Amino acid sequence: QAKALGGNQFALYQKDMNQQAKSQLLLENDLYKALERNEIEVYFQPQVDAKTLKPYGAEALVRWNHAKQGLISPVQFIPIAESTGLIIEIGQFIIRKAVEETEKWHKMGYDHLHIGINLSGRQFANDNLMDVIQNVLSHSTLPAKFLDFEITESLAMSNADHNISVLKGLKALGVSLSIDDFGTGYSSLAYLHSFPIDTIKIDRSFIINLETTQGQAIVNTILAMANSLGLEVVAEGIEDDFHVSYLQSRNCDIFQGFKFGKPMTSTDFTRYLAENAK
Ligand code: C2E
Ligand code: MG
Ligand code: MG
Ligand code: MG
């Protein structure tokens, strides 16, 4: 019986793969048109100061508002954007949009707000990245130091020597730099020390396990290491009071998570500021 089923399952599996490949291809085709159709939108997730729990800034998180499928997660379409090269154009749009909105909030009086912007592998490797950032900043009154570019730990550590020189170039523009999803890659302490970064973002998977002694041990180790290297620490995925009190007592600097807000439109983030920044 199992064998017979197995045969069927294989057939099903193949059909599944075809379906998947097809819908992937359709999505890819649509992605070429997404920007001009105004379907790419930047959302903002609050980050708060760990001591005061007042707004510190936001992380810009891209969304694809697909005409037929509705909101598509970046987890699903960033890889397509990467493989097609569309990430360069989409990435420029995200940087421009994030800076525009943050400049607007600064002008409204929230002039301490920081903005985190994710850079993917291909964007980071692109020779024009510096020019793009410089260009956007030259058309804005937003001081560079409020821009915080995030690259994942695994991206940072692949070809580390080369990346250090790219990061130094970015640093020279006056922007700040973060290592995202920290703890999920393989950093050597020696390397981390030579990276010109300001911040590490503890990956959400470790915050989820903060109730366990093992989870606590990992988070404590990351905090101690960041502290000794003089790095600021953002904890991602803060969802409850225990996360807050545990990390407050251990000098984590910034919190980000559903407890303070999900990623939201810029209009909603403006409202969030009005309600929380007083
Ligand atoms: P990331 O940069 O680590 O972003 C944090 C992700 O964790 C976001 O998912 C956010 O919604 C989610 N998150 C934050 N707090 C919580 C929480 O308390 N609970 C739970 N369950 N989730 C939380 P999102 O927006 O789906 O983005 C996923 C990933 O897609 C990002 O991970 C990043 O790697 C990538 N991404 C998103 N926006 C961009 C972008 O503009 N450019 C690039 N290159 N990548 C992006
Ligand atoms: Mg990020
Ligand atoms: Mg900073
Ligand atoms: Mg992350």
Side-chain angles (χ1 to χ4, degrees):
Q1 161 113 59
K3 252 186 201 159
L5 255 182
N8 281 335
Q9 265 172 356
F10 181 69
L12 272 176
Y13 180 69
Q14 269 203 322
K15 198 171 151 214
D16 243 43
M17 291 292 281
N18 284 333
Q19 284 296 352
Q20 229 182 333
K22 251 187 232 163
S23 63
Q24 194 78 352
L25 212 58
L26 287 176
L27 221 50
E28 187 176 312
N29 275 326
D30 290 347
L31 194 55
Y32 280 94
K33 298 273 181 201
L35 263 183
E36 63 187 64
R37 287 178 178 161
N38 293 319
E39 292 178 350
I40 303 294
E41 206 176 339
V42 179
Y43 275 40
F44 298 88
Q45 183 178 30
Q47 295 180 332
V48 303
D49 181 296
K51 288 198 187 73
T52 63
L53 302 185
K54 293 286 180 193
Y56 168 85
E59 177 172 4
L61 293 159
V62 70
R63 298 290 182 265
W64 179 9
N65 204 349
H66 189 279
K68 293 205 186 82
Q69 298 187 36
L71 276 193
I72 299 179
S73 154
V75 178
Q76 209 183 334
F77 75 86
I78 292 287
I80 304 177
E82 276 276 302
S83 65
T84 53
L86 284 167
I87 190 66
I88 300 302
E89 220 183 316
I90 294 175
Q92 285 180 21
F93 171 81
I94 295 165
I95 295 171
R96 207 175 333 110
K97 197 77 190 161
V99 168
E100 267 174 29
E101 296 296 337
T102 310
E103 179 186 25
K104 183 189 77 188
W105 292 317
H106 274 238
K107 284 183 173 160
M108 291 172 72
Y110 308 111
D111 56 3
H112 65 287
L113 279 191
H114 293 246
I115 186 75
I117 300 175
N118 295 284
L119 295 177
S120 69
R122 203 147 163 180
Q123 258 181 304
F124 187 70
N126 190 270
D127 289 334
N128 289 328
L129 179 63
M130 288 254 290
D131 287 345
V132 168
I133 297 171
Q134 221 162 3
N135 186 268
V136 170
L137 281 171
S138 73
H139 289 94
S140 172
T141 59
L142 186 72
K145 65 171 182 179
F146 293 105
L147 275 191
D148 184 8
F149 287 98
E150 305 184 2
I151 64 167
T152 63
E153 183 184 28
S154 28
L155 172 61
M157 294 303 153
S158 67
N159 204 356
D161 286 325
H162 171 73
N163 293 344
I164 288 171
S165 78
V166 177
L167 290 170
K168 280 184 178 155
L170 291 179
K171 218 37 230 168
L173 297 176
V175 302
S176 134
L177 300 171
S178 295
I179 300 289
D180 202 358
D181 303 346
F182 190 83
T184 62
Y186 298 90
S187 298
S188 91
L189 200 57
Y191 261 132
L192 200 61
H193 172 71
S194 48
F195 270 76
I197 54 166
D198 306 279
T199 306
I200 59 178
K201 299 188 74 175
I202 304 181
D203 191 68
R204 189 164 67 83
S205 57
F206 303 110
I207 307 302
I208 292 173
N209 287 320
L210 204 53
E211 250 100 312
T212 69
T213 41
Q214 203 202 6
Q216 292 178 359
I218 293 172
V219 169
N220 292 348
T221 304
I222 294 176
L223 284 165
M225 184 210 62
N227 194 37
S228 70
L229 292 175
L231 300 173
E232 196 169 56
V233 181
V234 178
E236 295 189 301
I238 303 293
E239 293 191 354
D240 62 39
D241 290 334
F242 175 72
H243 298 156
V244 170
S245 59
Y246 186 89
L247 292 164
Q248 273 180 331
S249 70
R250 280 163 184 80
N251 291 317
C252 183
D253 301 290
I254 294 149
F255 293 154
Q256 179 180 347
F258 289 178
K259 168 141 184 69
F260 304 101
K262 291 188 172 176
M264 56 186 92
T265 64
S266 68
T267 306
D268 286 341
F269 192 75
T270 303
R271 193 173 311 130
Y272 165 87
L273 288 172
E275 285 164 5
N276 293 278
K278 291 288 160 285

